Amino acid sequence: MTGDTDNKFLNVGLLIIATLLVAKLISTLVMPRSQKRLPPVIKGWPLIGGLIRFLKGPIVMLREEYPKLGSVFTVNLVNRKITFLIGPEVSAHFFKAPEVDLSQQEVYQFNVPTFGPGVVFDVDYSIRQEQFRFFTEALRVNKLKGYVDQMVVEAEDYFSKWGDSGVVDIKYELEHVIILTASRCLLGREVRDKLFDDVSALFHDLDNGMLPISVLFPYLPIPAHRRRDRARKKLADIFASIINSRKCASESENDMLQCFIDSKYKDGRPTTESEVTGLLIAALFAGQHTSSITSTWTGAYLLRHNEYLSAVLEEQKNLMKKHGNKVDHDILSEMDVLYRCIKEALRLHPPLIMLLRSSHSDFSVTTRDGKEYDIPKGHIVATSPAFANRLPHVFKDPDSYDPGRFSYGREEDKAAGAFSYISFGGGRHGCLGEPFAYLQIKAIWESFAEEF
């Protein structure tokens, strides 16, 4: 009896296995295969994929994999897949796609502890667009003209105290003058005149709280994150006090803080203290970091390449002869040689290492050599200004400093098509602060050159 039962179970098991095998065979022969042409995948460890290589430095990883895999490839990071699109030929969808298809919000959630609740990446797209409108209005030309006057005063005052000779750490000094000019234009008179040292130290803690590990684990209870959170709370208290003081005294200043205080949403609702603080932190966090790096590299290259420094000085001398010695927005806007020198420093050393989006729909790209790839919904999609800005098929001698590449007739940033030069991003999410950044760096180096 037992033997019959065992045989029955064995026969049933064999029948199930045979059925599964036949079903698999039929599905293989009859059912259509997936037509997806997936990008090649970077080799990695089981489970964690390429996480260790990514955390060591994504640019190093890109330099190693791009020659082998081409302009489109995927890296697995634990439970996430990041697909890189490198070069203008495969980047149009990345920069032009609507938010419903490629979203910023999910991938930039790591900024929320720094910027605070209720602003930028902690709100839905419609509210974020309104808040970006506040930034746009605060950076209109009529506002920028007033900001430039303040920038020039700060820079001239700073350099006038150096004396006739000496040795300086240019990176440290420019970081300091950048935060001074930004404080005056963005954060307001109260911070610049009375609270500069306190606020500067707090922003330093915020900046140091943004680590590579923060991108994946923004709330990890590490010392840098705890200092970041304490600094964010203290900044909120400081700005709440300033905002209340301005409202009570009916004061109005020419700075970004005032623009945010006066801003209203489409339904008529005014901004809250918390929102104003968060928007200010976002503005300074992006602007100070970008301008500090770029002004330093601009100076380093000018001091190394005398031919470009001489051209900048000659341009400055001619403009002063034409307009007089008072430097303003219009004079800075005419400094095309200095503009190209800054732009080239930005090409070689863009502060934004990677740009990220979350894909909500499938899309396809075609490479320079005609290969087509399908990028699945659910992938994080990335590009890298630091890597793409040095592609040899876009820029001649890409590792050399050559501001002339942007001059009329050459214009290498346009020759290979849109999105060849992406130091400030581009498309739907191009950097709103680009004009402010150029004016700020021009004001600083103009003042430096005039003093020395």
Side-chain angles (χ1 to χ4, degrees), residues 237-250 261 273:
D237 293 339
I238 288 172
F239 283 111
S241 175
I242 294 172
I243 293 164
N244 279 326
S245 175
R246 285 197 184 186
K247 286 181 176 178
C248 291
S250 298
I261 292 172
E273 290 173 6

Side-chain angles (χ1 to χ4, degrees), residues 106-354:
E106 297 92 337
V107 292
Y108 289 124
Q109 281 292 302
F110 62 87
N111 285 302
V112 172
T114 301
F115 299 164
V119 294
V120 192
F121 300 114
D122 193 49
V123 294
D124 64 38
Y125 182 62
S126 60
I127 299 296
R128 186 158 72 253
Q129 286 300 98
E130 291 205 60
Q131 292 178 350
F132 284 167
R133 174 170 57 83
F134 303 159
F135 281 108
T136 302
E137 290 171 355
L139 293 168
R140 292 191 187 282
V141 171
N142 63 320
K143 295 288 185 183
L144 288 173
K145 287 185 175 183
Y147 298 161
V148 165
D149 294 340
Q150 297 169 12
M151 292 173 188
V152 171
V153 168
E154 288 287 351
E156 289 180 346
D157 180 62
Y158 191 82
F159 294 129
S160 69
K161 296 172 183 174
W162 277 15
D164 295 329
S165 64
V167 177
V168 296
D169 179 338
I170 200 73
K171 179 176 181 292
Y172 171 83
E173 299 294 344
L174 290 178
E175 283 175 355
H176 206 65
V177 74
I178 286 286
I179 195 73
L180 283 170
T181 57
S183 291
R184 175 67 75 183
C185 303
L186 307 183
L187 306 184
R189 164 184 56 80
E190 300 91 339
V191 168
R192 175 64 188 91
D193 293 346
K194 299 175 185 176
L195 297 165
F196 174 76
D197 289 338
D198 293 341
V199 170
S200 182
L202 292 172
F203 269 102
H204 183 72
D205 285 345
L206 273 185
D207 199 14
N208 287 342
M210 187 68 76
L211 306 169
I213 194 70
S214 308
V215 176
L216 298 175
F217 306 105
Y219 297 97
L220 200 66
I222 57 177
H225 287 171
R226 285 196 287 268
R227 286 192 294 271
R228 172 201 69 193
D229 296 341
R230 285 195 297 269
R232 177 64 180 75
K233 186 177 185 308
K234 288 179 182 177
L235 283 169
D237 293 339
I238 288 172
F239 283 111
S241 175
I242 294 172
I243 293 164
N244 279 326
S245 175
R246 285 197 184 186
K247 286 181 176 178
C248 291
S250 298
E251 296 179 50
S252 184
E253 299 280 347
N254 182 31
D255 51 44
M256 188 172 280
L257 169 60
Q258 190 67 48
C259 291
F260 289 155
I261 292 172
D262 296 339
S263 293
K264 286 183 170 60
Y265 291 91
K266 288 179 181 177
D267 61 5
R269 178 177 75 80
T271 50
T272 65
E273 290 173 6
S274 175
E275 289 171 335
V276 170
T277 301
L279 292 172
L280 274 178
I281 289 173
L284 189 66
F285 198 83
Q288 189 270 338
H289 185 62
T290 302
S291 295
S292 177
I293 291 171
T294 306
S295 60
T296 302
W297 278 112
T298 298
Y301 280 116
L302 286 176
L303 294 169
R304 185 178 180 185
H305 296 273
N306 191 58
E307 67 272 30
Y308 299 120
L309 179 58
S310 297
V312 165
L313 294 173
E314 184 65 23
E315 176 183 60
Q316 182 175 327
K317 185 172 74 175
N318 291 336
L319 285 171
M320 293 300 157
K321 191 182 297 182
K322 176 181 174 183
H323 295 290
N325 289 327
K326 187 181 183 307
V327 179
D328 59 18
H329 173 273
D330 295 339
I331 290 178
L332 291 182
S333 296
E334 286 188 47
M335 292 185 175
D336 293 330
V337 175
L338 181 55
Y339 169 79
R340 290 193 292 271
C341 289
I342 297 168
K343 186 170 182 174
E344 177 69 341
L346 261 169
R347 181 187 70 82
L348 290 165
H349 305 280
L352 299 174
I353 301 301
M354 287 201 311

Side-chain angles (χ1 to χ4, degrees), residues 344-379:
E344 177 69 341
L346 261 169
R347 181 187 70 82
L348 290 165
H349 305 280
L352 299 174
I353 301 301
M354 287 201 311
L355 305 174
L356 303 169
R357 304 283 186 270
S358 179
S359 177
H360 293 276
S361 60
D362 298 343
F363 68 96
S364 301
V365 294
T366 303
T367 66
R368 285 174 66 221
D369 52 4
K371 290 182 181 176
E372 295 185 29
Y373 294 110
D374 300 315
I375 317 302
K377 170 183 176 180
H379 277 215

